Amino acid sequence: MQLSNNKKILYAVIILLALMSILFVIYEVDNNRHKEREDVKALYPESFTFFDLGANTELSDEMTKKLSGELGLYAVEKMTTIDLIIRDRIFFNKNFPKLFDLNYKLNDEKGARIEHNITNLVFRYPQKENTPFDNVKLVFSNYTKKPLLFSVTARKKEADMADTLKGKYGEPVLINWDDGKSVSLLWEKNRDCLVFSKISERGGFKYSIMIYFVNNLENMLKIEQNEVIKREEERTKAGKTAF
Protein backbone atom coordinates (compact mmCIF):
# COMPACT_ATOMS: atom_id res chain seq x y z
CA MET A 1 0.00 0.00 0.00
CA GLN A 2 2.88 2.30 0.90
CA LEU A 3 4.51 1.71 -2.49
CA SER A 4 1.25 2.44 -4.24
CA ASN A 5 0.93 5.77 -2.44
CA ASN A 6 4.49 6.68 -3.41
CA LYS A 7 3.71 5.92 -7.03
CA LYS A 8 0.62 8.10 -6.85
CA ILE A 9 2.70 10.94 -5.43
CA LEU A 10 5.35 10.41 -8.10
CA TYR A 11 2.75 10.44 -10.89
CA ALA A 12 1.17 13.59 -9.43
CA VAL A 13 4.56 15.34 -9.36
CA ILE A 14 5.30 14.28 -12.95
CA ILE A 15 1.91 15.54 -14.13
CA LEU A 16 2.40 18.80 -12.22
CA LEU A 17 5.85 19.33 -13.76
CA ALA A 18 4.48 18.56 -17.22
CA LEU A 19 1.68 21.09 -16.77
CA MET A 20 4.16 23.69 -15.53
CA SER A 21 6.37 23.04 -18.57
CA ILE A 22 3.43 23.46 -20.94
CA LEU A 23 2.37 26.68 -19.23
CA PHE A 24 5.95 27.97 -19.43
CA VAL A 25 6.17 27.25 -23.17
CA ILE A 26 2.81 28.96 -23.77
CA TYR A 27 3.96 31.97 -21.74
CA GLU A 28 7.24 32.24 -23.67
CA VAL A 29 5.51 31.99 -27.05
CA ASP A 30 2.94 34.62 -26.06
CA ASN A 31 5.66 36.82 -24.58
CA ASN A 32 7.75 36.61 -27.75
CA ARG A 33 4.73 37.47 -29.88
CA HIS A 34 4.01 40.40 -27.61
CA LYS A 35 7.61 41.58 -27.98
CA GLU A 36 7.34 41.27 -31.76
CA ARG A 37 4.16 43.37 -31.72
CA GLU A 38 5.91 45.93 -29.54
CA ASP A 39 8.80 46.03 -32.01
CA VAL A 40 6.48 46.50 -34.98
CA LYS A 41 4.46 49.18 -33.17
CA ALA A 42 7.49 50.74 -31.49
CA LEU A 43 6.96 54.29 -30.32
CA TYR A 44 9.83 56.64 -31.06
CA PRO A 45 10.44 60.16 -29.73
CA GLU A 46 8.57 62.83 -31.66
CA SER A 47 10.65 65.04 -33.92
CA PHE A 48 9.22 66.96 -36.88
CA THR A 49 5.63 67.40 -38.05
CA PHE A 50 3.70 68.31 -41.17
CA PHE A 51 0.02 69.21 -40.66
CA ASP A 52 0.42 67.69 -37.17
CA LEU A 53 1.55 64.36 -38.66
CA GLY A 54 4.56 63.11 -36.71
CA ALA A 55 6.71 60.05 -36.10
CA ASN A 56 3.97 58.08 -34.33
CA THR A 57 1.01 59.10 -36.48
CA GLU A 58 -0.73 56.06 -38.01
CA LEU A 59 -2.13 56.07 -41.52
CA SER A 60 -5.92 55.80 -41.33
CA ASP A 61 -9.04 56.72 -43.30
CA GLU A 62 -9.79 59.47 -40.80
CA MET A 63 -6.30 60.94 -41.11
CA THR A 64 -6.42 60.77 -44.92
CA LYS A 65 -9.84 62.43 -45.02
CA LYS A 66 -8.63 65.26 -42.79
CA LEU A 67 -5.50 65.75 -44.88
CA SER A 68 -7.55 65.76 -48.09
CA GLY A 69 -9.57 68.60 -46.59
CA GLU A 70 -6.34 70.60 -46.32
CA LEU A 71 -4.66 69.61 -49.60
CA GLY A 72 -7.41 68.37 -51.92
CA LEU A 73 -7.43 65.28 -54.13
CA TYR A 74 -4.66 62.70 -53.93
CA ALA A 75 -3.35 59.54 -55.58
CA VAL A 76 -2.34 56.34 -53.81
CA GLU A 77 0.77 54.34 -54.71
CA LYS A 78 1.61 50.98 -53.15
CA MET A 79 4.56 48.58 -53.19
CA THR A 80 7.11 50.90 -54.75
CA THR A 81 10.65 52.20 -54.24
CA ILE A 82 11.98 54.67 -51.67
CA ASP A 83 14.51 57.30 -52.73
CA LEU A 84 16.00 59.59 -50.09
CA ILE A 85 18.43 61.37 -52.44
CA ILE A 86 18.47 65.16 -52.81
CA ARG A 87 20.11 66.42 -56.04
CA ASP A 88 22.56 63.58 -56.78
CA ARG A 89 24.36 60.71 -55.04
CA ILE A 90 27.76 62.44 -54.80
CA PHE A 91 26.32 65.61 -53.26
CA PHE A 92 24.05 63.61 -50.95
CA ASN A 93 26.82 61.32 -49.75
CA LYS A 94 29.13 64.27 -49.07
CA ASN A 95 26.61 66.32 -47.09
CA PHE A 96 24.20 63.73 -45.65
CA PRO A 97 26.34 60.60 -45.07
CA LYS A 98 23.97 58.98 -42.53
CA LEU A 99 20.98 59.38 -44.83
CA PHE A 100 23.05 58.19 -47.79
CA ASP A 101 23.94 55.00 -45.91
CA LEU A 102 20.25 54.48 -45.12
CA ASN A 103 19.33 55.01 -48.77
CA TYR A 104 22.01 52.44 -49.70
CA LYS A 105 20.26 49.87 -47.49
CA LEU A 106 16.88 50.67 -49.05
CA ASN A 107 18.07 50.24 -52.63
CA ASP A 108 20.22 47.95 -54.74
CA GLU A 109 23.72 49.30 -55.42
CA LYS A 110 23.59 47.98 -58.99
CA GLY A 111 20.35 49.81 -59.73
CA ALA A 112 17.89 46.93 -59.49
CA ARG A 113 14.38 48.00 -58.53
CA ILE A 114 13.71 47.26 -54.85
CA GLU A 115 10.05 47.62 -53.94
CA HIS A 116 8.97 48.07 -50.33
CA ASN A 117 5.70 47.36 -48.54
CA ILE A 118 4.66 51.01 -48.38
CA THR A 119 1.81 53.36 -49.21
CA ASN A 120 2.41 56.76 -50.81
CA LEU A 121 -0.17 59.53 -50.60
CA VAL A 122 0.59 61.98 -53.41
CA PHE A 123 -1.02 65.41 -53.61
CA ARG A 124 -0.15 67.17 -56.86
CA TYR A 125 -0.91 70.88 -57.25
CA PRO A 126 -3.27 71.08 -54.26
CA GLN A 127 -6.40 73.01 -55.15
CA LYS A 128 -6.81 74.90 -51.88
CA GLU A 129 -6.10 78.61 -52.36
CA ASN A 130 -4.36 78.96 -49.00
CA THR A 131 -2.09 75.97 -49.62
CA PRO A 132 1.44 77.05 -50.55
CA PHE A 133 2.56 73.66 -51.87
CA ASP A 134 3.00 72.37 -55.41
CA ASN A 135 3.56 68.72 -54.59
CA VAL A 136 3.26 66.66 -51.42
CA LYS A 137 4.26 63.00 -51.06
CA LEU A 138 3.75 61.21 -47.75
CA VAL A 139 5.28 57.73 -47.46
CA PHE A 140 4.00 55.25 -44.85
CA SER A 141 5.07 51.74 -43.87
CA ASN A 142 2.35 49.14 -44.39
CA TYR A 143 3.80 47.11 -41.51
CA THR A 144 3.34 49.77 -38.85
CA LYS A 145 1.21 52.44 -40.63
CA LYS A 146 3.86 54.94 -39.45
CA PRO A 147 5.44 57.64 -41.65
CA LEU A 148 8.81 57.03 -43.30
CA LEU A 149 9.35 60.08 -45.49
CA PHE A 150 7.56 63.36 -46.25
CA SER A 151 8.56 65.17 -49.44
CA VAL A 152 7.13 68.66 -50.05
CA THR A 153 7.73 71.14 -52.87
CA ALA A 154 6.65 74.72 -52.23
CA ARG A 155 5.70 77.63 -54.46
CA LYS A 156 8.21 80.39 -55.04
CA LYS A 157 6.35 82.88 -52.87
CA GLU A 158 7.05 80.72 -49.82
CA ALA A 159 10.68 81.71 -49.30
CA ASP A 160 9.84 82.64 -45.68
CA MET A 161 9.32 78.96 -44.78
CA ALA A 162 12.95 78.76 -43.68
CA ASP A 163 12.28 81.42 -41.04
CA THR A 164 9.20 79.51 -39.88
CA LEU A 165 11.23 76.33 -39.47
CA LYS A 166 14.01 78.16 -37.64
CA GLY A 167 11.46 79.65 -35.25
CA LYS A 168 10.06 76.19 -34.50
CA TYR A 169 13.17 73.99 -34.49
CA GLY A 170 16.06 76.38 -33.85
CA GLU A 171 19.16 77.11 -35.88
CA PRO A 172 20.02 74.49 -38.51
CA VAL A 173 23.25 73.33 -40.11
CA LEU A 174 23.85 75.37 -43.28
CA ILE A 175 24.95 73.47 -46.41
CA ASN A 176 26.01 75.47 -49.47
CA TRP A 177 25.64 73.80 -52.87
CA ASP A 178 28.39 73.79 -55.46
CA ASP A 179 26.46 76.14 -57.77
CA GLY A 180 27.00 79.01 -55.30
CA LYS A 181 23.28 79.81 -55.21
CA SER A 182 21.41 76.85 -53.77
CA VAL A 183 21.47 76.05 -50.04
CA SER A 184 20.11 73.38 -47.72
CA LEU A 185 19.28 73.70 -44.03
CA LEU A 186 19.53 70.56 -41.89
CA TRP A 187 17.81 69.92 -38.57
CA GLU A 188 18.26 66.70 -36.57
CA LYS A 189 16.04 65.70 -33.66
CA ASN A 190 15.85 62.30 -31.99
CA ARG A 191 17.73 60.84 -34.99
CA ASP A 192 15.10 62.06 -37.48
CA CYS A 193 16.09 64.70 -40.04
CA LEU A 194 14.45 67.67 -41.70
CA VAL A 195 16.07 69.25 -44.76
CA PHE A 196 14.87 72.53 -46.27
CA SER A 197 16.44 73.36 -49.63
CA LYS A 198 16.38 76.56 -51.67
CA ILE A 199 17.24 75.32 -55.15
CA SER A 200 18.29 77.54 -58.06
CA GLU A 201 16.27 76.67 -61.13
CA ARG A 202 15.81 78.46 -64.46
CA GLY A 203 16.60 81.92 -63.13
CA GLY A 204 14.49 81.49 -60.00
CA PHE A 205 14.22 79.22 -56.99
CA LYS A 206 12.11 76.29 -55.88
CA TYR A 207 11.76 75.22 -52.27
CA SER A 208 11.87 71.68 -51.00
CA ILE A 209 11.22 70.13 -47.59
CA MET A 210 12.23 66.55 -46.80
CA ILE A 211 11.38 64.95 -43.46
CA TYR A 212 13.20 61.67 -42.88
CA PHE A 213 11.75 59.54 -40.08
CA VAL A 214 14.98 57.62 -39.58
CA ASN A 215 13.79 55.53 -36.64
CA ASN A 216 10.76 54.31 -38.58
CA LEU A 217 12.83 53.66 -41.71
CA GLU A 218 15.30 51.55 -39.75
CA ASN A 219 12.45 49.69 -38.06
CA MET A 220 10.97 48.87 -41.48
CA LEU A 221 14.34 47.56 -42.67
CA LYS A 222 14.54 45.35 -39.58
CA ILE A 223 11.06 43.97 -40.25
CA GLU A 224 11.97 43.32 -43.90
CA GLN A 225 15.13 41.49 -42.88
CA ASN A 226 13.13 39.31 -40.48
CA GLU A 227 10.68 38.58 -43.30
CA VAL A 228 13.56 37.43 -45.53
CA ILE A 229 14.92 35.15 -42.79
CA LYS A 230 11.45 33.72 -42.18
CA ARG A 231 10.93 32.99 -45.90
CA GLU A 232 14.35 31.32 -46.12
CA GLU A 233 13.55 29.13 -43.12
CA GLU A 234 10.21 28.16 -44.65
CA ARG A 235 11.87 27.26 -47.98
CA THR A 236 14.50 25.19 -46.19
CA LYS A 237 11.85 23.42 -44.17
CA ALA A 238 9.78 22.74 -47.31
CA GLY A 239 12.83 21.26 -49.04
CA LYS A 240 13.56 18.93 -46.14
CA THR A 241 9.98 17.67 -45.92
CA ALA A 242 9.77 17.10 -49.68
CA PHE A 243 12.15 14.11 -49.57
Side-chain angles (χ1 to χ4, degrees):
M1 181 66 70
Q2 183 65 33
L3 181 61
S4 178
N5 287 337
N6 288 340
K7 284 184 177 180
K8 289 180 180 180
I9 293 173
L10 179 60
Y11 292 152
V13 170
I14 292 173
I15 293 171
L16 179 61
L17 289 174
L19 288 172
M20 290 177 66
S21 298
I22 293 170
L23 289 173
F24 177 78
V25 171
I26 293 173
Y27 169 80
E28 285 297 310
V29 171
D30 183 68
N31 190 46
N32 288 335
R33 287 176 179 172
H34 181 66
K35 287 180 179 179
E36 288 177 2
R37 288 194 297 269
E38 284 183 343
D39 179 63
V40 170
K41 293 292 186 179
L43 296 178
Y44 295 107
E46 292 292 343
S47 54
F48 308 104
T49 60
F50 178 72
F51 280 109
D52 295 325
L53 306 181
N56 295 297
T57 301
E58 292 192 13
L59 178 63
S60 65
D61 292 339
E62 182 180 355
M63 186 219 76
T64 305
K65 183 178 180 180
K66 181 179 179 182
L67 199 59
S68 181
E70 299 284 354
L71 297 173
L73 299 177
Y74 62 93
V76 178
E77 302 171 345
K78 290 182 178 290
M79 292 299 297
T80 186
T81 59
I82 299 177
D83 186 7
L84 309 183
I85 300 293
I86 299 174
R87 189 185 178 185
D88 59 61
R89 295 177 65 84
I90 296 175
F91 169 84
F92 198 70
N93 186 22
K94 176 183 175 182
N95 295 287
F96 308 97
K98 294 179 182 178
L99 293 175
F100 181 85
D101 182 61
L102 187 55
N103 190 73
Y104 178 86
K105 295 175 182 177
L106 289 164
N107 296 280
D108 183 84
E109 61 177 319
K110 296 181 180 178
R113 182 179 176 86
I114 303 296
E115 295 182 340
H116 299 277
N117 188 17
I118 59 176
T119 294
N120 295 345
L121 300 182
V122 183
F123 300 81
R124 293 186 176 90
Y125 304 107
Q127 297 93 344
K128 305 295 182 179
E129 291 183 1
N130 60 341
T131 300
F133 311 115
D134 288 329
N135 188 285
V136 175
K137 182 168 76 171
L138 311 178
V139 183
F140 292 84
S141 166
N142 287 337
Y143 296 109
T144 64
K145 305 298 182 184
K146 302 290 181 63
L148 303 172
L149 171 70
F150 291 168
S151 174
V152 181
T153 301
R155 296 172 186 165
K156 295 180 180 179
K157 66 179 182 180
E158 289 303 312
D160 60 344
M161 276 197 306
D163 293 331
T164 301
L165 293 171
K166 288 178 182 178
K168 186 172 183 179
Y169 299 118
E171 285 299 314
V173 175
L174 174 64
I175 299 170
N176 291 304
W177 290 30
D178 296 336
D179 62 10
K181 299 178 181 178
S182 305
V183 297
S184 289
L185 306 178
L186 168 65
W187 290 265
E188 293 187 66
K189 185 177 181 181
N190 296 325
R191 301 186 71 243
D192 293 344
C193 297
L194 186 157
V195 181
F196 171 85
S197 299
K198 178 182 177 182
I199 305 169
S200 177
E201 187 178 77
R202 294 191 292 271
F205 290 95
K206 72 174 183 179
Y207 304 92
S208 166
I209 296 175
M210 303 285 283
I211 300 178
Y212 302 94
F213 294 100
V214 174
N215 295 306
N216 288 340
L217 283 162
E218 290 181 343
N219 189 33
M220 186 194 71
L221 281 170
K222 182 179 179 181
I223 294 171
E224 289 181 338
Q225 290 166 359
N226 290 337
E227 289 282 318
V228 171
I229 293 172
K230 183 179 178 181
R231 287 195 296 269
E232 287 296 328
E233 290 175 346
E234 290 175 349
R235 279 196 289 268
T236 301
K237 182 178 179 181
K240 287 181 178 179
T241 56
F243 299 97

